[in-house]
Amino acid sequence: MAKRIRVGVNGFGTIGKRVADAVARQPDLELIGVAKTRPSFEAEDAIRRGYPLYVSGGGDRAAFASAGIATAGTLDDLLSDVDVIVDAAPDKVGRENAALYRAKGIRAIFQGGEKADVAQASFNAMANYAVGHDKQSLRVVSCNTTGLARAAALIDRSWGVESWDATIVRRAADPAESKKGPINGILPTFQMPSHHGPDVRTVLQDLPITTLAVVVPTTLMHVHVNRVRLRHPPANAAEIARTLAASPRFRLFRGWERVEGTPQVMEFARDRGLGHNDVMENVLWEEGIGLHGADLHFFQAIHQESIVVPENVDAIRSMFSLAPNAEASMAITDRALGLLVEGKSIPAR
Ligand code: NAD
C-alpha cells in the first residue's frame, strides 16, 4: 500500500476536532496528532479518541499535566513529524501561524476565517479541485462560501449562470458559543454587497454573483435565498431538483419528509448519527426550488460547523495528487465519512 500522508491539526475547536475525526477515517491519510492551547474537555476527548495531543499557541504543557492530560510535545514537535498541517485556529491566528509552517517547510491548509492571500490558492472541491496540485498552501473557503460555490459550480456547468443574487441569512453563533448574539433581533450587514460574493470568486473567478447578508438569532444553520438567471434553463424545476439530488454533497428533502426548516434538518442529523450530529451536505428542499422562465429561485441550508470538513480532506488529496479528479477524491472522502456515495455523480461540463 502507498505511504499515507501524515497530517496534523493545529487548533482543536469547532472545525479542528471535526477535521481531525475526518482525517483519521481516510484510507490514504494518517492523523499524527492535534494541537491545542489549553486543557479542556475537548483536550481530554482528543486523548480518549487516541489522538496524540500537542501544545500550541503559547500554551503550557504543565497546565495540561496538572489537569491530568498527557501531552506528546509542542507544536514544533508535531510539525517535525507531518507532511501537512491543517490550521483550524481562530480567525486571523492562522495568518500568524503561517510563518511557523513556512519556517519548518511544512505544507498547510488554512480556513475561511483567513484572508485569501494567507495561501497560494483558495479551494473548493466541486469548484476548483485541481488548483491544489503541488501547492504549498491552500485556504478552504468559509462555510457560506463553500455552500454557494458547490451549488454555483454545479448549476453553472449544467445550465450556465447569467447572474446570481443571494441573501445569506446567517446564524448568530455556533451552538457551543455563549458570548455572541443577537439573542433577540435581526441585524442587516451594512457591507453591501457582502464579502461572500467576492469570496466565491476566489474559487469560481467568472461567476457573476452578488450577495447581501443578515444575522438572525439562531445557532443551527445558515440559510441562503438564491435568485439565479440561467443561460440555458431546463424544462422544469423537477430537472434541477433531480440533478442536485444526484450530486455528491447535496441532500434534497422531499415534501413527505416533513422537514419544514432547520430544526428538522438538525433532528434528521441527530437521528442519522454521523459524528457531532453533522450535516456536511448542502441541504435543499424539493418544494424550495422554483423555475420561472429563466429565473431559478431556491433555498439552501448550510451546517456551518461541518460543511467545510470534507473539503479540508479533499484539499490535502489535491495538494498531494492522491486522486485524479474531484469526483474520485470526493467519493473516497464521503465513503469514509458515511455520506451517501452510491448513485451520486457530478454532471459533465
Ligand atoms: P473555534 O474557536 O471553535 O476553535 C479554534 C481553536 O483554536 C480553539 O480550540 C482555540 O483554543 C484554538 N487556538 C487559539 N489560539 C490558537 C493558536 N495560536 N494556535 C492553535 N490553536 C489556537 O474556531 P472555529 O469555529 O473552529 O474556527 C476555526 C477557523 O475555521 C476560523 O478560520 C473560522 O473562520 C473557520 N470556520 C469556522 C466555521 C464555524 O462556523 N465555526 C465554519 C467554517 C470555517
Side-chain angles (χ1 to χ4, degrees):
M1 191 178 147
K3 182 179 161 290
R4 292 192 293 167
I5 296 298
R6 297 165 68 81
V7 183
V9 176
N10 186 24
F12 198 67
T14 307
I15 301 299
K17 64 186 173 186
R18 288 172 166 83
V19 171
D21 287 349
V23 166
R25 291 175 168 207
Q26 304 302 316
D28 46 358
L29 307 182
E30 184 179 1
L31 181 70
I32 299 302
V34 301
K36 237 198 142 315
T37 47
R38 286 188 300 265
S40 65
F41 71 90
E42 284 157 322
E44 200 168 31
D45 198 46
I47 301 290
R48 196 178 56 77
R49 287 170 190 257
Y51 305 157
L53 182 64
Y54 295 79
V55 182
S56 66
D60 181 5
R61 285 189 79 179
F64 284 86
S66 65
I69 298 173
T71 52
T74 62
L75 176 65
D76 196 57
D77 299 320
L78 178 61
L79 294 179
S80 300
D81 212 13
V82 297
D83 300 309
V84 59
I85 188 88
V86 178
D87 188 287
D91 292 3
K92 302 186 178 62
V93 178
R95 179 174 292 277
E96 294 165 23
N97 291 340
L100 305 176
Y101 310 147
R102 268 197 306 273
K104 279 282 203 179
I106 296 294
R107 297 196 201 194
I109 310 281
F110 297 94
Q111 306 305 313
E114 306 302 325
K115 291 219 166 79
D117 65 0
V118 75
Q120 288 171 296
S122 291
F123 179 87
N124 172 264
M126 196 87 86
N128 68 344
Y129 177 81
V131 78
H133 293 324
D134 293 331
K135 293 278 189 306
Q136 291 297 311
S137 59
L138 287 174
R139 178 187 71 127
V140 171
V141 292
S142 73
C143 47
N144 279 309
T145 306
T146 294
L148 286 168
R150 279 184 192 166
L154 214 56
I155 289 170
D156 192 39
R157 84 174 55 179
S158 300
W159 304 289
V161 171
E162 179 84 35
S163 66
W164 190 303
D165 182 13
T167 303
I168 296 162
V169 183
R170 298 176 61 188
R171 60 88 178 99
D174 286 340
E177 290 177 311
S178 47
K179 292 195 175 115
K180 281 191 181 169
I183 57 169
N184 181 23
I186 298 175
L187 307 186
T189 302
F190 295 124
Q191 181 195 27
M192 294 193 288
S194 73
H195 70 276
H196 305 92
D199 204 32
V200 173
R201 281 197 295 276
T202 64
V203 292
L204 289 169
Q205 277 76 21
D206 299 327
L207 191 79
I209 182 169
T210 307
T211 53
L212 290 178
V214 59
V215 183
V216 297
T218 179
T219 63
L220 299 182
M221 303 181 89
H222 304 292
V223 169
H224 299 167
V225 184
N226 299 287
R227 294 162 294 276
V228 185
R229 172 69 51 90
L230 299 175
R231 284 186 207 282
H232 313 289
N236 50 46
E239 188 180 329
I240 297 174
R242 262 196 311 278
T243 302
L244 294 175
S247 302
R249 298 189 191 160
F250 283 78
R251 174 66 162 88
L252 180 85
F253 286 105
R254 322 263 165 187
W256 59 263
E257 292 182 269
R258 300 170 66 89
V259 172
E260 291 176 5
T262 57
Q264 294 83 20
V265 176
M266 293 316 297
E267 187 67 5
F268 157 84
R270 285 187 281 270
D271 292 349
R272 179 169 68 169
L274 293 185
H276 309 282
N277 298 331
D278 284 342
V279 190
M280 302 180 196
E281 307 97 326
N282 288 34
V283 171
L284 303 165
W285 290 266
E286 189 172 37
E287 294 159 305
I289 300 175
L291 186 64
H292 309 99
D295 290 333
L296 162 64
H297 299 147
F298 75 100
F299 299 105
Q300 66 176 0
I302 302 299
H303 187 228
Q304 74 279 356
E305 296 168 275
S306 65
I307 189 169
V308 299
V309 170
E311 310 296 328
N312 272 271
V313 172
D314 294 324
I316 299 171
R317 214 171 267 121
S318 171
M319 195 177 240
F320 289 90
S321 303
L322 299 178
N325 52 40
E327 194 151 18
S329 177
M330 292 167 79
I332 300 168
T333 306
D334 293 1
R335 184 163 284 118
L337 295 177
L339 299 177
L340 200 57
V341 172
E342 268 59 52
K344 295 270 188 180
S345 63
I346 303 176
R349 228 172 247 286

